[in-house]
Amino acid sequence: MVETPSASSPTPPNREAHTATVNFIDDPDHLPADANIPDNYVSYTLKHQKSLPPVTWENFLNELNWLHVGILGLSPLLGLVGAFFTPLKWQTALWSVVYYYMTGLGITAGYHRLWAHRSYNASRPLQYILALWGAGAVEGSIRWWARGHRAHHRYTDTDLDPYNAHKGLLWSHIGWMIVKPRRKPGVADVSDLSKNEIVRWQHRHYLKLVFIMGVVFPTVVAGFGWGDWKGGYVYAGLLRLVFVHHSTFCVNSLAHWLGETPFDDKHTPRDHMFTALVTIGEGYHNFHHQFPMDYRNAIKWYQYDPTKWFIWACQQIGLASHLKSFPENEVRKGQLTMQLKRLRETQELLSWPSDNSHLHVISWESYQEQAKTRPLICVAGFIHDVADFLDEHPGGRHLLTKNIGRDATTAFFGGVYDHSNAAHNLLAMKRVGILHGGSPHGLEDKMIPPSQRLRVARYNEMGTSGYSSAALSDGEGLLG
């Protein structure tokens, strides 16, 4: 680790200019937690930080986080037992769904997009509402949750990621919470949250808020509202909590396992409509990991993202502002990159004409001589062997045979028929030589078949055209 210079440290050259820059960017009285991590932090930490031993059947009970086991295990157990003895009223069912969305938005719109990613600004009333709703989801305080989530984004798919998807679907969904972490998550700065008085208030009173918002509030609403105290506790309290838990847990698990990678496939996050449906809009996760400070997860109007709509609605009534979204130009670049990559993968599966540099160059006289014993036709400076296509030609065999030993360029390019892309591509596969002197003037652009005009080139191919002229090698080349 790089040590922080002390007050007695010698002053480096240009210290005043450097200090002025730091003062302009950051608070000079505050040093972020990740200010001095080395460039090789991940590899260095994994090498030097000792992890806990693997979990085995012998040490399994000792390695469980019993607080989390209790919360995640007792709530569904008590809820299911309670539901067996408690009839479900329609008012309570409706209230349970409404409160599911309220506490879910406390996580998605509050913990996640507001505090972990700072994707918009929220007024004090909205911050208090989201802090209370988030407490009702019983997933830890804002500060604790956001610290882990920032580490997840910074160290995605490494052992410094608290819910590393490479360790399996079950681990990323719930295992990382019920088993003691094998190592500390990577460093992530949450100093901005430490300065937020509402975040500090929620953190300080978290246990009380969990009890009030997780149990008391949903019970009281159902009790005073329509006299269903027991149903409010069982359905809007316990079972609603189970759904909220596993809904948001799916952002760590299902969203890294199911779906497509339309923006980047370097890491595991994926986009899928089903994941969006079960996570209150957090299912377009590939986009989110590429553009984490965007207040949206879904960028198309028809994609399901109620969290985005909630934030937008709050902006309309003055509770939210400064909604951040990445420039459309940059988003489309990401999409294009992956589209080109997939096109390249398809391209690699196809057969293409041989490199022109491998074709022999012959004179017109030699071409005519060889065409007496072989069905050769010249089009746009290339010699083509059409032996296997004589009986397949849609216009009839005679249109090919009459051009053997001749230049059929005019006929091919509209004189008889303006041939299709498919014809151009197929003809290029039949090249066996290059006419000395090349293509007639004005037809240089027609030498390259349509499929190869749009060919996706590798970076190391950019310096060459792929259509370099070959050395003159007249004579036996075509027949050899």
Side-chain angles (χ1 to χ4, degrees):
M1 295 290 285
V2 179
E3 295 183 359
T4 305
S6 64
S8 59
S9 300
T11 303
N14 300 322
R15 176 64 180 270
E16 292 182 1
H18 175 72
T19 303
T21 303
V22 171
N23 289 348
F24 177 73
I25 298 174
D26 297 313
D27 179 356
D29 297 325
H30 170 71
L31 186 68
D34 56 357
N36 288 320
I37 61 173
D39 291 344
N40 63 339
Y41 170 75
V42 174
S43 59
Y44 179 88
T45 303
L46 293 177
K47 182 178 180 180
H48 293 89
Q49 184 190 92
K50 187 177 181 180
S51 63
L52 293 179
V55 178
T56 63
W57 288 112
E58 288 74 21
N59 66 2
F60 181 72
L61 293 179
N62 291 329
E63 296 301 322
L64 292 178
N65 184 325
W66 286 104
L67 175 62
H68 291 173
V69 170
I71 295 172
L72 299 175
L74 286 177
S75 50
L77 179 61
L78 294 175
L80 289 173
V81 171
F84 186 78
F85 296 101
T86 308
L88 176 61
K89 296 183 178 181
W90 72 266
Q91 299 97 325
T92 305
L94 179 61
W95 166 234
S96 299
V97 173
V98 169
Y99 200 52
Y100 159 78
Y101 275 96
M102 289 169 61
T103 51
L105 287 169
I107 299 297
T108 61
Y111 281 36
H112 189 207
R113 302 194 197 183
L114 173 61
W115 285 299
H117 291 299
R118 299 169 291 184
S119 64
Y120 67 100
N121 292 348
S123 63
R124 288 173 62 87
L126 180 57
Q127 288 191 61
Y128 273 114
I129 290 170
L130 292 173
L132 290 170
W133 289 357
V138 194
E139 295 186 16
S141 69
I142 297 167
R143 192 178 186 280
W144 178 85
W145 196 101
R147 186 260 180 272
H149 192 72
R150 289 182 182 181
H152 164 65
H153 271 262
R154 178 172 291 185
Y155 312 108
T156 303
D157 298 339
T158 74
D159 283 338
L160 298 185
D161 176 355
Y163 17 97
N164 181 2
H166 286 316
K167 292 185 177 181
L169 190 66
L170 184 61
W171 172 266
S172 60
H173 186 79
I174 197 172
W176 70 276
M177 285 177 286
I178 65 174
V179 175
K180 295 175 184 176
R182 300 296 89 193
R183 63 169 71 245
K184 294 179 180 178
V187 63
D189 183 53
V190 289
S191 56
D192 57 313
L193 301 181
S194 299
K195 298 174 185 177
N196 185 308
E197 63 178 283
I198 298 171
V199 173
R200 292 201 310 267
W201 167 80
Q202 196 231 36
H203 191 79
R204 186 166 59 250
H205 301 289
Y206 181 69
L207 292 180
K208 289 182 287 186
L209 293 175
V210 161
F211 179 70
I212 294 170
M213 298 303 298
V215 178
V216 176
F217 181 69
T219 304
V220 167
V221 170
F224 282 119
W226 48 92
D228 191 12
W229 294 88
K230 190 176 179 182
Y233 170 71
V234 170
Y235 295 105
L238 295 175
L239 292 179
R240 180 272 320 168
L241 183 60
V242 174
F243 276 93
V244 169
H245 279 165
H246 291 280
S247 169
T248 52
F249 295 169
C250 281
V251 181
N252 302 330
S253 58
L254 203 61
H256 286 257
W257 178 73
L258 177 66
E260 305 296 329
T261 53
F263 298 94
D264 194 344
D265 61 356
K266 183 182 295 183
H267 296 131
T268 56
R270 296 175 178 273
D271 284 5
H272 201 278
M273 181 183 69
F274 177 77
T275 312
L277 292 173
V278 300
T279 58
I280 317 185
E282 301 281 10
Y284 299 99
H285 212 52
N286 191 253
F287 172 86
H288 172 64
H289 268 256
Q290 289 300 295
F291 312 105
M293 293 186 74
D294 198 306
Y295 84 98
R296 308 163 299 172
N297 255 214
I299 57 175
K300 297 178 180 177
W301 67 267
Y302 56 83
Q303 293 175 321
Y304 181 75
D305 187 0
T307 301
K308 171 187 70 176
W309 303 330
F310 172 80
I311 296 170
W312 177 86
C314 287
Q315 181 194 43
Q316 302 307 301
I317 60 176
L319 291 176
S321 64
H322 298 84
L323 277 57
K324 297 176 184 176
S325 58
F326 253 75
E328 179 67 16
N329 186 69
E330 303 310 307
V331 172
R332 294 182 67 183
K333 279 183 189 176
Q335 291 174 310
L336 178 61
T337 301
M338 288 305 300
Q339 290 166 0
L340 292 173
K341 182 174 182 177
R342 293 186 182 113
L343 286 173
R344 179 78 199 199
E345 292 170 352
T346 301
Q347 182 177 284
E348 294 290 345
L349 299 175
L350 304 177
S351 297
W352 298 91
S354 60
D355 188 340
N356 295 341
S357 62
H358 297 152
L359 297 178
H360 296 283
V361 179
I362 68 169
S363 66
W364 177 260
E365 292 75 15
S366 179
Y367 157 60
Q368 289 185 309
E369 182 64 27
Q370 295 187 55
K372 293 177 181 178
T373 57
R374 187 177 179 184
L376 302 177
I377 295 178
C378 177
V379 176
F382 288 98
I383 311 301
H384 306 84
D385 187 333
V386 297
D388 63 350
F389 197 62
L390 289 174
D391 294 326
E392 306 297 330
H393 187 256
R397 181 187 180 98
H398 65 285
L399 291 179
L400 292 180
T401 56
K402 77 174 188 176
N403 282 295
I404 293 174
R406 300 175 56 191
D407 188 335
T409 302
T410 300
F412 187 83
F413 287 105
V416 174
Y417 179 69
D418 190 7
H419 284 75
S420 65
N421 287 346
H424 281 258
N425 293 332
L426 180 62
L427 183 67
M429 296 297 292
K430 302 183 182 304
R431 293 173 180 172
V432 291
I434 300 177
L435 186 67
H436 186 209
S439 171
H441 181 68
L443 290 179
E444 292 88 350
D445 63 325
K446 299 183 183 298
M447 295 173 61
I448 305 174
S451 59
Q452 285 180 281
R453 291 174 187 271
L454 300 174
R455 181 172 172 269
V456 182
R458 296 187 185 276
Y459 74 94
N460 57 350
E461 297 173 334
M462 300 303 289
T464 59
S465 66
Y467 296 92
S468 57
S469 61
L472 181 62
S473 54
D474 203 356
E476 296 292 320
L478 295 183
L479 299 179

